[in-house]
Amino acid sequence: MELEEAIEKLKDKKQLVRDSGVVALQSIFSNSEIADKQKELDAAVVQVKELIASDVWEKRHGGFCAAKVLLPFFPADGTFPKDLEELTLQYLEDGEVRVRMAVGECLYALAQHEGSGLYTRVKDHVCKRIEENVKDDGIKSADDANGTTLPASDNRQDANGNGAPDVQKNIAEGKCLETSLKALQRLMEGFGEHIQLPIDSEMWVLVRKTFDHSNRYVRETGFFTLASLCQSATQDSLKGDAVMIAEGLALGLADNWSQVRYGIVDSLSMCLNRYYAAEGVRLFSQETWKLILGESGREEVGNHIANVVKHYISQSAAENPQVRESTCHCMGELMVKIDHQKIRPHVQSLIVALMNCYQDLSWTVRDAACSGLGKAITEFPDEAQQVVFKLYELWFFHLGDIDLNMNSEVSSVRENTAFVLGTAMTTYKEDAIEKVVAKLHHIFKLSENLSEPHHCHSPTGLQEKSCCSRAGVHAAVMTLNNVHTSCNLAAHEPITWEASDGAIYLLRELSKVAPDRAAEFLPILAKLTQCSGFQQNQFLLETLYRLLPFIAQNVGKKQFKPCLESYISPLFSALTSGQRLAETASGTCISKLMTFVGPNVFKARLDEFQLRALQARPSLNSALMPQ
Protein backbone atom coordinates (compact mmCIF):
# COMPACT_ATOMS: atom_id res chain seq x y z
CA MET A 1 0.00 0.00 0.00
CA GLU A 2 2.82 2.40 0.90
CA LEU A 3 4.62 1.55 -2.34
CA GLU A 4 1.53 2.22 -4.46
CA GLU A 5 1.02 5.61 -2.80
CA ALA A 6 4.67 6.52 -3.39
CA ILE A 7 4.50 5.51 -7.05
CA GLU A 8 1.33 7.56 -7.55
CA LYS A 9 3.07 10.63 -6.15
CA LEU A 10 5.94 10.09 -8.61
CA LYS A 11 3.45 10.55 -11.47
CA ASP A 12 2.07 13.86 -10.24
CA LYS A 13 2.25 17.07 -12.29
CA LYS A 14 3.59 19.03 -9.32
CA GLN A 15 7.29 18.93 -8.47
CA LEU A 16 6.66 19.07 -4.72
CA VAL A 17 4.38 16.04 -4.85
CA ARG A 18 6.92 14.05 -6.91
CA ASP A 19 9.62 15.00 -4.42
CA SER A 20 7.48 13.71 -1.56
CA GLY A 21 7.05 10.46 -3.49
CA VAL A 22 10.86 10.08 -3.69
CA VAL A 23 11.11 10.65 0.08
CA ALA A 24 8.35 8.09 0.71
CA LEU A 25 10.08 5.52 -1.50
CA GLN A 26 13.37 6.00 0.31
CA SER A 27 11.61 5.61 3.67
CA ILE A 28 10.02 2.31 2.64
CA PHE A 29 13.35 0.59 1.88
CA SER A 30 15.62 2.34 4.36
CA ASN A 31 13.78 1.32 7.51
CA SER A 32 13.99 -2.46 7.12
CA GLU A 33 16.20 -5.30 5.92
CA ILE A 34 16.26 -5.52 2.14
CA ALA A 35 15.79 -9.30 2.27
CA ASP A 36 12.40 -8.70 3.88
CA LYS A 37 11.48 -6.20 1.15
CA GLN A 38 12.94 -7.90 -1.92
CA LYS A 39 9.57 -8.57 -3.50
CA GLU A 40 8.50 -4.95 -3.03
CA LEU A 41 11.88 -3.76 -4.32
CA ASP A 42 11.52 -5.80 -7.51
CA ALA A 43 7.96 -4.48 -7.94
CA ALA A 44 9.21 -0.93 -7.46
CA VAL A 45 11.86 -1.40 -10.16
CA VAL A 46 9.24 -2.62 -12.64
CA GLN A 47 7.02 0.39 -11.98
CA VAL A 48 9.93 2.85 -12.10
CA LYS A 49 10.95 1.51 -15.51
CA GLU A 50 7.36 1.96 -16.67
CA LEU A 51 7.46 5.57 -15.49
CA ILE A 52 10.71 6.20 -17.39
CA ALA A 53 9.18 4.74 -20.55
CA SER A 54 6.14 7.07 -20.32
CA ASP A 55 5.31 9.77 -22.88
CA VAL A 56 4.57 12.17 -20.00
CA TRP A 57 7.73 14.02 -18.94
CA GLU A 58 6.61 14.35 -15.31
CA LYS A 59 6.43 10.55 -15.05
CA ARG A 60 9.87 10.16 -16.65
CA HIS A 61 11.25 12.71 -14.21
CA GLY A 62 9.71 10.91 -11.24
CA GLY A 63 11.03 7.61 -12.58
CA PHE A 64 14.66 8.74 -12.79
CA CYS A 65 14.47 10.41 -9.37
CA ALA A 66 13.15 7.16 -7.92
CA ALA A 67 15.79 5.09 -9.76
CA LYS A 68 18.56 7.03 -7.99
CA VAL A 69 16.98 6.08 -4.65
CA LEU A 70 16.62 2.40 -5.52
CA LEU A 71 20.11 1.91 -7.00
CA PRO A 72 22.05 1.46 -3.71
CA PHE A 73 19.89 -1.52 -2.79
CA PHE A 74 21.24 -3.59 -5.72
CA PRO A 75 24.69 -5.13 -6.20
CA ALA A 76 26.99 -3.50 -8.77
CA ASP A 77 26.75 -6.54 -11.06
CA GLY A 78 22.99 -6.75 -10.75
CA THR A 79 20.48 -6.32 -13.56
CA PHE A 80 18.99 -3.00 -12.45
CA PRO A 81 22.27 -1.02 -12.43
CA LYS A 82 22.98 -2.19 -15.98
CA ASP A 83 19.46 -1.33 -17.08
CA LEU A 84 19.68 2.10 -15.47
CA GLU A 85 23.00 2.72 -17.20
CA GLU A 86 21.39 2.05 -20.58
CA LEU A 87 18.40 4.25 -19.71
CA THR A 88 20.60 7.21 -18.74
CA LEU A 89 22.35 7.12 -22.10
CA GLN A 90 19.03 6.72 -23.90
CA TYR A 91 17.44 9.73 -22.20
CA LEU A 92 20.52 11.94 -22.00
CA GLU A 93 18.89 14.26 -24.56
CA ASP A 94 15.31 14.08 -23.39
CA GLY A 95 13.12 16.95 -24.59
CA GLU A 96 12.52 18.16 -21.02
CA VAL A 97 15.39 19.82 -19.16
CA ARG A 98 14.29 18.51 -15.75
CA VAL A 99 14.41 14.95 -17.02
CA ARG A 100 17.91 15.54 -18.40
CA MET A 101 19.04 16.91 -15.05
CA ALA A 102 17.59 13.83 -13.30
CA VAL A 103 19.54 11.65 -15.75
CA GLY A 104 22.72 13.43 -14.70
CA GLU A 105 21.92 12.69 -11.06
CA CYS A 106 21.53 9.01 -11.94
CA LEU A 107 24.96 9.06 -13.60
CA TYR A 108 26.34 10.51 -10.36
CA ALA A 109 24.74 7.68 -8.37
CA LEU A 110 25.97 5.06 -10.85
CA ALA A 111 29.54 6.40 -10.63
CA GLN A 112 29.44 6.06 -6.85
CA HIS A 113 27.92 2.61 -7.14
CA GLU A 114 29.97 1.11 -9.98
CA GLY A 115 33.36 2.79 -9.82
CA SER A 116 35.82 3.51 -12.64
CA GLY A 117 34.47 0.81 -14.94
CA LEU A 118 31.46 3.02 -15.66
CA TYR A 119 33.73 5.77 -17.01
CA THR A 120 35.07 3.51 -19.72
CA ARG A 121 31.59 2.39 -20.75
CA VAL A 122 29.77 5.74 -20.93
CA LYS A 123 32.34 8.47 -21.60
CA ASP A 124 32.38 8.05 -25.38
CA HIS A 125 28.61 8.36 -25.62
CA VAL A 126 28.42 11.41 -23.35
CA CYS A 127 31.34 13.12 -25.11
CA LYS A 128 29.82 12.45 -28.51
CA ARG A 129 26.61 14.18 -27.45
CA ILE A 130 28.59 17.19 -26.20
CA GLU A 131 30.67 17.33 -29.39
CA GLU A 132 27.60 17.30 -31.64
CA ASN A 133 25.84 19.97 -29.61
CA VAL A 134 28.92 22.20 -29.61
CA LYS A 135 28.93 22.05 -33.40
CA ASP A 136 25.20 22.75 -33.63
CA ASP A 137 25.01 25.55 -31.07
CA GLY A 138 28.01 27.48 -32.32
CA ILE A 139 31.01 29.16 -30.78
CA LYS A 140 31.47 32.78 -29.91
CA SER A 141 33.37 35.00 -32.27
CA ALA A 142 36.80 36.26 -31.24
CA ASP A 143 35.24 39.49 -29.99
CA ASP A 144 32.70 37.58 -27.91
CA ALA A 145 35.42 35.46 -26.38
CA ASN A 146 37.20 38.58 -25.23
CA GLY A 147 34.04 39.86 -23.60
CA THR A 148 33.73 42.86 -25.91
CA THR A 149 30.29 42.00 -27.24
CA LEU A 150 27.20 40.66 -25.55
CA PRO A 151 24.89 38.16 -27.27
CA ALA A 152 21.40 39.64 -27.18
CA SER A 153 19.83 36.22 -26.58
CA ASP A 154 22.16 35.23 -23.75
CA ASN A 155 19.53 35.39 -21.00
CA ARG A 156 17.35 32.90 -19.21
CA GLN A 157 14.25 35.09 -19.22
CA ASP A 158 12.90 38.05 -21.08
CA ALA A 159 11.28 41.09 -19.45
CA ASN A 160 8.04 39.14 -18.99
CA GLY A 161 9.72 36.19 -17.31
CA ASN A 162 9.46 33.95 -20.37
CA GLY A 163 12.30 31.74 -21.56
CA ALA A 164 14.76 33.60 -23.72
CA PRO A 165 14.93 32.75 -27.45
CA ASP A 166 18.19 30.79 -27.30
CA VAL A 167 16.95 28.56 -24.47
CA GLN A 168 13.58 27.94 -26.13
CA LYS A 169 15.31 27.10 -29.40
CA ASN A 170 17.73 24.69 -27.76
CA ILE A 171 14.96 22.76 -25.99
CA ALA A 172 12.71 22.70 -29.05
CA GLU A 173 15.43 21.29 -31.27
CA GLY A 174 16.77 18.82 -28.72
CA LYS A 175 20.03 20.73 -28.26
CA CYS A 176 21.14 19.80 -24.77
CA LEU A 177 24.70 21.03 -24.52
CA GLU A 178 24.40 22.53 -21.06
CA THR A 179 22.72 19.49 -19.53
CA SER A 180 25.06 17.07 -21.33
CA LEU A 181 27.96 18.97 -19.80
CA LYS A 182 26.21 18.87 -16.45
CA ALA A 183 25.83 15.10 -16.84
CA LEU A 184 29.58 14.77 -17.46
CA GLN A 185 30.24 16.98 -14.45
CA ARG A 186 28.04 14.88 -12.18
CA LEU A 187 29.57 11.67 -13.55
CA MET A 188 33.07 12.86 -12.60
CA GLU A 189 31.89 14.15 -9.21
CA GLY A 190 30.40 10.72 -8.54
CA PHE A 191 33.82 9.10 -8.88
CA GLY A 192 35.21 11.53 -6.31
CA GLU A 193 38.83 12.30 -5.49
CA HIS A 194 39.69 8.75 -4.48
CA ILE A 195 39.28 7.42 -8.03
CA GLN A 196 41.93 8.79 -10.42
CA LEU A 197 41.08 8.51 -14.10
CA PRO A 198 43.27 8.86 -17.23
CA ILE A 199 41.51 11.86 -18.83
CA ASP A 200 42.67 11.98 -22.44
CA SER A 201 43.45 15.10 -24.48
CA GLU A 202 40.28 14.72 -26.53
CA MET A 203 38.13 15.29 -23.45
CA TRP A 204 40.14 18.32 -22.32
CA VAL A 205 39.84 19.81 -25.82
CA LEU A 206 36.12 19.10 -25.89
CA VAL A 207 35.42 20.84 -22.60
CA ARG A 208 37.75 23.70 -23.59
CA LYS A 209 35.52 24.38 -26.62
CA THR A 210 32.59 25.23 -24.38
CA PHE A 211 34.51 28.15 -22.84
CA ASP A 212 33.94 30.08 -26.08
CA HIS A 213 30.24 29.32 -26.36
CA SER A 214 27.79 32.17 -26.99
CA ASN A 215 25.54 31.11 -24.10
CA ARG A 216 26.96 32.12 -20.73
CA TYR A 217 25.20 29.23 -18.95
CA VAL A 218 27.06 26.77 -21.16
CA ARG A 219 30.35 28.56 -20.37
CA GLU A 220 29.57 28.45 -16.66
CA THR A 221 28.77 24.74 -16.74
CA GLY A 222 31.89 24.13 -18.82
CA PHE A 223 34.08 25.54 -16.06
CA PHE A 224 32.29 23.56 -13.35
CA THR A 225 32.86 20.47 -15.50
CA LEU A 226 36.53 21.37 -15.81
CA ALA A 227 36.77 21.53 -12.01
CA SER A 228 35.30 18.05 -11.70
CA LEU A 229 37.69 16.70 -14.36
CA CYS A 230 40.68 18.19 -12.55
CA GLN A 231 39.50 16.54 -9.34
CA SER A 232 39.43 13.05 -10.89
CA ALA A 233 42.32 13.28 -13.37
CA THR A 234 45.66 11.63 -12.75
CA GLN A 235 48.71 13.87 -12.38
CA ASP A 236 49.99 12.77 -15.80
CA SER A 237 46.66 13.71 -17.40
CA LEU A 238 46.82 17.18 -15.89
CA LYS A 239 50.47 17.79 -16.75
CA GLY A 240 50.04 16.70 -20.36
CA ASP A 241 47.45 19.40 -21.12
CA ALA A 242 48.37 21.96 -18.45
CA VAL A 243 48.96 24.82 -20.90
CA MET A 244 45.61 24.38 -22.63
CA ILE A 245 43.83 24.14 -19.27
CA ALA A 246 45.54 27.30 -18.01
CA GLU A 247 44.59 29.21 -21.18
CA GLY A 248 40.98 28.16 -20.69
CA LEU A 249 41.05 29.27 -17.06
CA ALA A 250 42.39 32.68 -18.07
CA LEU A 251 39.52 33.02 -20.54
CA GLY A 252 37.00 32.39 -17.78
CA LEU A 253 38.63 34.87 -15.42
CA ALA A 254 38.04 37.55 -18.06
CA ASP A 255 34.44 36.56 -18.81
CA ASN A 256 31.81 39.27 -18.86
CA TRP A 257 29.37 37.48 -16.54
CA SER A 258 29.65 36.93 -12.80
CA GLN A 259 28.15 33.42 -13.00
CA VAL A 260 30.93 32.35 -15.34
CA ARG A 261 33.57 33.93 -13.11
CA TYR A 262 32.14 32.04 -10.18
CA GLY A 263 32.42 28.84 -12.21
CA ILE A 264 36.06 29.58 -12.90
CA VAL A 265 36.96 30.35 -9.30
CA ASP A 266 35.68 26.90 -8.47
CA SER A 267 38.72 25.74 -10.44
CA LEU A 268 41.11 28.62 -9.84
CA SER A 269 41.13 32.00 -8.11
CA MET A 270 42.70 35.22 -9.40
CA CYS A 271 43.29 38.44 -7.53
CA LEU A 272 41.13 40.45 -9.94
CA ASN A 273 37.99 38.72 -8.71
CA ARG A 274 38.73 39.68 -5.08
CA TYR A 275 37.16 43.08 -5.84
CA TYR A 276 34.36 41.86 -8.12
CA ALA A 277 30.97 43.44 -7.40
CA ALA A 278 29.12 40.09 -7.19
CA GLU A 279 29.57 39.12 -3.55
CA GLY A 280 29.71 35.37 -4.14
CA VAL A 281 32.56 35.72 -6.65
CA ARG A 282 34.38 38.23 -4.46
CA LEU A 283 34.25 36.28 -1.18
CA PHE A 284 35.02 32.94 -2.81
CA SER A 285 38.01 34.47 -4.61
CA GLN A 286 39.36 36.09 -1.46
CA GLU A 287 39.19 32.87 0.54
CA THR A 288 40.60 30.74 -2.27
CA TRP A 289 43.43 33.23 -2.81
CA LYS A 290 44.41 32.92 0.86
CA LEU A 291 44.15 29.13 0.83
CA ILE A 292 46.33 28.74 -2.26
CA LEU A 293 48.96 31.44 -1.72
CA GLY A 294 48.90 32.08 2.02
CA GLU A 295 51.26 34.98 2.81
CA SER A 296 53.12 34.78 -0.51
CA GLY A 297 50.45 36.41 -2.68
CA ARG A 298 52.26 39.72 -3.15
CA GLU A 299 55.52 37.98 -4.02
CA GLU A 300 53.83 35.76 -6.60
CA VAL A 301 52.07 38.70 -8.24
CA GLY A 302 55.38 40.56 -8.32
CA ASN A 303 57.11 37.61 -9.97
CA HIS A 304 54.53 37.65 -12.78
CA ILE A 305 53.90 41.38 -12.82
CA ALA A 306 54.13 41.86 -16.60
CA ASN A 307 51.36 39.35 -17.28
CA VAL A 308 49.25 40.63 -14.40
CA VAL A 309 49.46 44.22 -15.65
CA LYS A 310 48.67 43.13 -19.20
CA HIS A 311 45.58 41.28 -17.96
CA TYR A 312 44.42 44.20 -15.82
CA ILE A 313 44.76 46.69 -18.65
CA SER A 314 42.78 44.43 -20.98
CA GLN A 315 40.05 44.07 -18.34
CA SER A 316 39.88 47.84 -17.83
CA ALA A 317 38.26 47.93 -21.27
CA ALA A 318 35.83 45.03 -20.64
CA GLU A 319 32.18 45.55 -21.50
CA ASN A 320 30.90 44.76 -18.02
CA PRO A 321 31.23 47.87 -15.79
CA GLN A 322 31.63 45.67 -12.71
CA VAL A 323 34.72 44.16 -14.29
CA ARG A 324 36.12 47.60 -15.09
CA GLU A 325 35.44 48.76 -11.54
CA SER A 326 37.18 45.81 -9.89
CA THR A 327 40.09 46.22 -12.29
CA CYS A 328 40.57 49.84 -11.19
CA HIS A 329 40.71 48.73 -7.56
CA CYS A 330 43.30 46.11 -8.46
CA MET A 331 45.47 48.50 -10.48
CA GLY A 332 45.56 50.88 -7.54
CA GLU A 333 46.37 48.00 -5.21
CA LEU A 334 49.36 46.97 -7.35
CA MET A 335 51.01 50.35 -6.85
CA VAL A 336 50.60 50.14 -3.07
CA LYS A 337 51.33 46.50 -2.27
CA ILE A 338 53.83 45.26 -4.88
CA ASP A 339 57.56 45.92 -4.58
CA HIS A 340 58.19 49.30 -6.21
CA GLN A 341 61.14 48.11 -8.23
CA LYS A 342 59.00 45.43 -9.86
CA ILE A 343 55.97 47.57 -10.55
CA ARG A 344 57.74 50.82 -11.50
CA PRO A 345 58.28 49.94 -15.22
CA HIS A 346 54.51 49.46 -15.58
CA VAL A 347 53.27 52.48 -13.63
CA GLN A 348 52.84 54.71 -16.69
CA SER A 349 50.69 52.09 -18.43
CA LEU A 350 48.55 51.67 -15.32
CA ILE A 351 48.08 55.43 -14.95
CA VAL A 352 46.93 55.76 -18.57
CA ALA A 353 44.46 52.88 -18.10
CA LEU A 354 43.12 54.53 -14.93
CA MET A 355 42.79 57.87 -16.72
CA ASN A 356 40.72 56.22 -19.43
CA CYS A 357 38.50 54.57 -16.81
CA TYR A 358 38.15 57.94 -15.06
CA GLN A 359 36.15 59.02 -18.12
CA ASP A 360 33.89 55.95 -18.03
CA LEU A 361 30.12 56.19 -18.49
CA SER A 362 29.60 54.34 -15.17
CA TRP A 363 30.10 56.49 -12.06
CA THR A 364 31.25 53.48 -10.01
CA VAL A 365 34.09 52.91 -12.49
CA ARG A 366 35.03 56.61 -12.42
CA ASP A 367 35.04 56.51 -8.63
CA ALA A 368 37.32 53.46 -8.48
CA ALA A 369 39.63 54.94 -11.12
CA CYS A 370 39.88 58.17 -9.14
CA SER A 371 40.97 56.23 -6.05
CA GLY A 372 43.55 54.38 -8.14
CA LEU A 373 45.01 57.63 -9.44
CA GLY A 374 45.28 58.89 -5.86
CA LYS A 375 47.38 55.85 -4.98
CA ALA A 376 49.52 56.42 -8.06
CA ILE A 377 50.53 59.97 -7.08
CA THR A 378 51.16 58.91 -3.48
CA GLU A 379 53.37 55.94 -4.33
CA PHE A 380 54.93 57.15 -7.61
CA PRO A 381 54.84 60.97 -7.61
CA ASP A 382 57.63 61.33 -10.20
CA GLU A 383 55.97 59.00 -12.70
CA ALA A 384 52.58 60.64 -12.18
CA GLN A 385 54.06 64.12 -12.57
CA GLN A 386 54.87 63.32 -16.19
CA VAL A 387 51.13 63.45 -16.96
CA VAL A 388 50.06 65.67 -14.08
CA PHE A 389 48.76 68.46 -16.35
CA LYS A 390 46.32 65.96 -17.86
CA LEU A 391 45.42 64.75 -14.39
CA TYR A 392 44.55 68.27 -13.25
CA GLU A 393 42.22 68.68 -16.21
CA LEU A 394 40.50 65.42 -15.35
CA TRP A 395 40.28 66.21 -11.64
CA PHE A 396 38.87 69.69 -12.19
CA PHE A 397 36.38 68.32 -14.70
CA HIS A 398 35.13 65.66 -12.29
CA LEU A 399 34.66 68.09 -9.43
CA GLY A 400 31.32 68.64 -11.16
CA ASP A 401 30.72 64.96 -11.92
CA ILE A 402 27.14 63.74 -12.38
CA ASP A 403 25.62 60.33 -12.91
CA LEU A 404 24.65 59.90 -16.56
CA ASN A 405 21.31 58.47 -15.41
CA MET A 406 20.65 62.04 -14.25
CA ASN A 407 20.97 61.03 -10.61
CA SER A 408 23.03 64.08 -9.70
CA GLU A 409 22.74 63.28 -6.01
CA VAL A 410 25.46 60.65 -6.45
CA SER A 411 28.29 62.77 -5.00
CA SER A 412 30.85 60.02 -4.49
CA VAL A 413 32.98 60.87 -7.53
CA ARG A 414 32.98 64.57 -6.66
CA GLU A 415 34.04 63.91 -3.08
CA ASN A 416 36.64 61.35 -4.10
CA THR A 417 38.05 63.72 -6.71
CA ALA A 418 38.44 66.43 -4.07
CA PHE A 419 40.16 63.95 -1.76
CA VAL A 420 42.65 62.97 -4.47
CA LEU A 421 43.33 66.64 -5.19
CA GLY A 422 44.08 66.95 -1.48
CA THR A 423 46.59 64.12 -1.91
CA ALA A 424 48.09 66.00 -4.86
CA MET A 425 48.47 69.12 -2.71
CA THR A 426 50.24 67.08 -0.03
CA THR A 427 52.50 65.50 -2.65
CA TYR A 428 53.27 68.41 -5.00
CA LYS A 429 53.02 71.18 -2.39
CA GLU A 430 52.79 74.79 -3.53
CA ASP A 431 52.38 74.10 -7.23
CA ALA A 432 49.25 72.00 -6.60
CA ILE A 433 47.93 74.40 -3.96
CA GLU A 434 48.11 77.34 -6.37
CA LYS A 435 46.23 75.42 -9.04
CA VAL A 436 43.53 74.43 -6.55
CA VAL A 437 43.15 77.99 -5.25
CA ALA A 438 42.80 79.31 -8.80
CA LYS A 439 40.17 76.68 -9.63
CA LEU A 440 38.18 77.44 -6.48
CA HIS A 441 38.14 81.16 -7.31
CA HIS A 442 36.92 80.29 -10.82
CA ILE A 443 34.10 78.01 -9.61
CA PHE A 444 32.88 80.23 -6.77
CA LYS A 445 32.92 83.29 -9.03
CA LEU A 446 30.65 81.57 -11.54
CA SER A 447 28.51 80.04 -8.79
CA GLU A 448 27.07 83.48 -8.10
CA ASN A 449 24.74 82.79 -11.04
CA LEU A 450 23.50 79.45 -9.75
CA SER A 451 20.07 80.87 -8.95
CA GLU A 452 19.51 81.29 -12.69
CA PRO A 453 17.82 78.07 -13.89
CA HIS A 454 19.74 77.77 -17.14
CA HIS A 455 22.97 77.28 -15.20
CA CYS A 456 21.68 74.26 -13.31
CA HIS A 457 21.80 70.76 -14.66
CA SER A 458 18.49 69.45 -13.43
CA PRO A 459 16.95 66.74 -15.66
CA THR A 460 14.65 69.41 -17.13
CA GLY A 461 17.53 71.79 -17.67
CA LEU A 462 19.44 69.11 -19.53
CA GLN A 463 16.58 68.65 -21.94
CA GLU A 464 16.21 72.38 -22.48
CA LYS A 465 19.94 73.02 -22.84
CA SER A 466 21.16 69.86 -24.53
CA CYS A 467 24.12 71.71 -26.04
CA CYS A 468 25.53 72.12 -22.53
CA SER A 469 24.76 68.56 -21.44
CA ARG A 470 27.50 66.90 -19.42
CA ALA A 471 26.18 63.60 -20.72
CA GLY A 472 27.01 64.85 -24.20
CA VAL A 473 30.50 65.75 -23.07
CA HIS A 474 31.00 62.29 -21.57
CA ALA A 475 29.78 60.70 -24.79
CA ALA A 476 32.29 62.76 -26.74
CA VAL A 477 35.04 61.82 -24.30
CA MET A 478 34.32 58.13 -24.73
CA THR A 479 34.73 58.34 -28.50
CA LEU A 480 38.23 59.82 -28.26
CA ASN A 481 41.37 57.84 -27.61
CA ASN A 482 43.58 60.82 -26.83
CA VAL A 483 43.16 61.67 -23.16
CA HIS A 484 44.54 65.20 -23.48
CA THR A 485 42.20 66.08 -26.33
CA SER A 486 39.16 64.77 -24.48
CA CYS A 487 40.13 66.64 -21.34
CA ASN A 488 40.16 69.94 -23.21
CA LEU A 489 36.40 69.58 -23.55
CA ALA A 490 36.15 70.14 -19.81
CA ALA A 491 37.57 73.63 -20.08
CA HIS A 492 34.43 74.79 -21.86
CA GLU A 493 31.95 73.27 -19.39
CA PRO A 494 29.41 75.75 -17.98
CA ILE A 495 29.32 75.99 -14.19
CA THR A 496 26.83 73.64 -12.54
CA TRP A 497 25.60 73.19 -8.99
CA GLU A 498 27.51 69.91 -9.02
CA ALA A 499 30.74 71.83 -9.64
CA SER A 500 29.97 74.07 -6.67
CA ASP A 501 29.25 70.95 -4.63
CA GLY A 502 32.62 69.50 -5.62
CA ALA A 503 34.31 72.82 -4.83
CA ILE A 504 33.05 72.65 -1.23
CA TYR A 505 34.63 69.21 -0.86
CA LEU A 506 37.83 70.62 -2.37
CA LEU A 507 37.82 73.56 0.06
CA ARG A 508 37.72 71.08 2.93
CA GLU A 509 40.84 69.40 1.53
CA LEU A 510 42.57 72.77 1.05
CA SER A 511 41.82 73.68 4.66
CA LYS A 512 43.77 70.62 5.79
CA VAL A 513 47.00 71.46 3.94
CA ALA A 514 46.82 75.27 3.64
CA PRO A 515 44.35 76.67 6.22
CA ASP A 516 45.36 80.30 5.58
CA ARG A 517 44.59 79.95 1.88
CA ALA A 518 41.28 78.24 2.65
CA ALA A 519 40.24 81.05 5.02
CA GLU A 520 40.02 83.55 2.17
CA PHE A 521 37.09 81.57 0.74
CA LEU A 522 34.93 81.76 3.88
CA PRO A 523 33.09 84.97 2.83
CA ILE A 524 32.62 83.58 -0.69
CA LEU A 525 31.27 80.31 0.70
CA ALA A 526 28.75 82.26 2.77
CA LYS A 527 27.37 83.79 -0.42
CA LEU A 528 26.74 80.29 -1.76
CA THR A 529 24.15 79.80 0.99
CA GLN A 530 22.05 82.50 -0.70
CA CYS A 531 21.75 80.55 -3.98
CA SER A 532 18.27 79.22 -4.57
CA GLY A 533 15.72 78.83 -7.32
CA PHE A 534 16.91 75.47 -8.59
CA GLN A 535 15.69 72.00 -7.80
CA GLN A 536 18.86 70.61 -6.22
CA ASN A 537 19.44 73.55 -3.87
CA GLN A 538 18.86 71.40 -0.77
CA PHE A 539 21.55 68.91 -1.85
CA LEU A 540 24.09 71.70 -2.28
CA LEU A 541 23.22 73.20 1.12
CA GLU A 542 23.38 69.77 2.74
CA THR A 543 27.00 69.40 1.56
CA LEU A 544 27.89 72.94 2.62
CA TYR A 545 26.46 72.65 6.13
CA ARG A 546 27.87 69.16 6.62
CA LEU A 547 31.42 70.26 5.75
CA LEU A 548 31.45 73.80 7.17
CA PRO A 549 32.30 72.72 10.76
CA PHE A 550 35.31 70.74 9.51
CA ILE A 551 36.51 73.67 7.39
CA ALA A 552 36.04 76.03 10.37
CA GLN A 553 38.00 73.78 12.69
CA ASN A 554 40.84 73.46 10.16
CA VAL A 555 41.20 77.21 9.55
CA GLY A 556 40.91 77.97 13.29
CA LYS A 557 38.74 80.21 15.46
CA LYS A 558 40.69 83.37 14.74
CA GLN A 559 40.06 83.08 10.99
CA PHE A 560 36.49 81.81 11.26
CA LYS A 561 34.87 84.07 13.87
CA PRO A 562 34.80 87.21 11.67
CA CYS A 563 32.75 85.26 9.09
CA LEU A 564 30.44 83.46 11.53
CA GLU A 565 27.65 86.03 11.42
CA SER A 566 27.24 85.73 7.63
CA TYR A 567 26.34 82.04 8.06
CA ILE A 568 23.83 82.39 10.90
CA SER A 569 20.83 83.71 8.96
CA PRO A 570 20.93 81.09 6.19
CA LEU A 571 21.58 78.36 8.75
CA PHE A 572 18.43 79.20 10.70
CA SER A 573 16.44 79.64 7.48
CA ALA A 574 17.40 76.08 6.49
CA LEU A 575 16.63 74.87 10.03
CA THR A 576 12.99 75.96 9.63
CA SER A 577 12.66 75.30 5.87
CA GLY A 578 10.60 72.13 6.11
CA GLN A 579 13.12 70.25 3.93
CA ARG A 580 14.42 67.30 5.90
CA LEU A 581 17.89 67.18 4.35
CA ALA A 582 18.51 70.89 4.90
CA GLU A 583 17.02 70.87 8.40
CA THR A 584 19.15 67.93 9.55
CA ALA A 585 22.37 69.26 8.04
CA SER A 586 21.86 72.84 9.30
CA GLY A 587 20.90 71.62 12.79
CA THR A 588 24.03 69.51 13.06
CA CYS A 589 26.12 72.39 11.70
CA ILE A 590 24.69 74.84 14.25
CA SER A 591 25.40 72.46 17.11
CA LYS A 592 29.00 71.84 16.01
CA LEU A 593 29.75 75.50 15.33
CA MET A 594 28.29 76.48 18.70
CA THR A 595 30.58 73.93 20.39
CA PHE A 596 33.55 75.12 18.32
CA VAL A 597 33.35 78.90 18.90
CA GLY A 598 31.67 78.61 22.30
CA PRO A 599 27.93 78.76 23.15
CA ASN A 600 28.05 82.34 24.46
CA VAL A 601 29.95 83.66 21.43
CA PHE A 602 27.49 81.93 19.11
CA LYS A 603 24.30 82.98 20.91
CA ALA A 604 25.46 86.61 21.15
CA ARG A 605 25.05 86.83 17.37
CA LEU A 606 21.46 85.52 17.30
CA ASP A 607 18.29 87.60 17.07
CA GLU A 608 15.14 86.87 19.07
CA PHE A 609 13.62 84.57 16.44
CA GLN A 610 16.82 82.55 16.14
CA LEU A 611 17.15 82.21 19.92
CA ARG A 612 13.59 80.86 20.13
CA ALA A 613 14.33 78.40 17.32
CA LEU A 614 17.43 77.25 19.18
CA GLN A 615 15.57 76.87 22.49
CA ALA A 616 12.87 74.81 20.72
CA ARG A 617 15.56 72.29 19.78
CA PRO A 618 17.47 71.39 22.96
CA SER A 619 19.22 68.52 21.17
CA LEU A 620 21.27 71.05 19.19
CA ASN A 621 23.23 71.86 22.32
CA SER A 622 24.31 68.25 22.93
CA ALA A 623 26.50 67.48 19.89
CA LEU A 624 30.25 67.82 20.31
CA MET A 625 32.73 68.95 17.71
CA PRO A 626 34.54 65.80 16.42
CA GLN A 627 38.25 65.67 17.09
Side-chain angles (χ1 to χ4, degrees), residues 444-492:
F444 285 134
K445 175 65 176 176
L446 293 177
S447 67
E448 295 173 2
N449 299 318
L450 272 178
S451 58
E452 299 178 24
H454 68 276
H455 285 281
C456 306
H457 279 178
S458 65
T460 304
L462 278 167
Q463 294 170 1
E464 294 172 354
K465 297 288 181 180
S466 59
C467 62
C468 295
S469 165
R470 188 178 297 272
V473 173
H474 269 295
V477 167
M478 292 301 292
T479 62
L480 297 173
N481 293 322
N482 186 291
V483 174
H484 180 50
T485 303
S486 63
C487 288
N488 285 338
L489 292 171
H492 304 290

Side-chain angles (χ1 to χ4, degrees), residues 2 9 60 87 389 464 538:
E2 290 179 339
K9 289 180 179 179
R60 297 197 301 276
L87 288 169
F389 69 96
E464 294 172 354
Q538 61 174 317

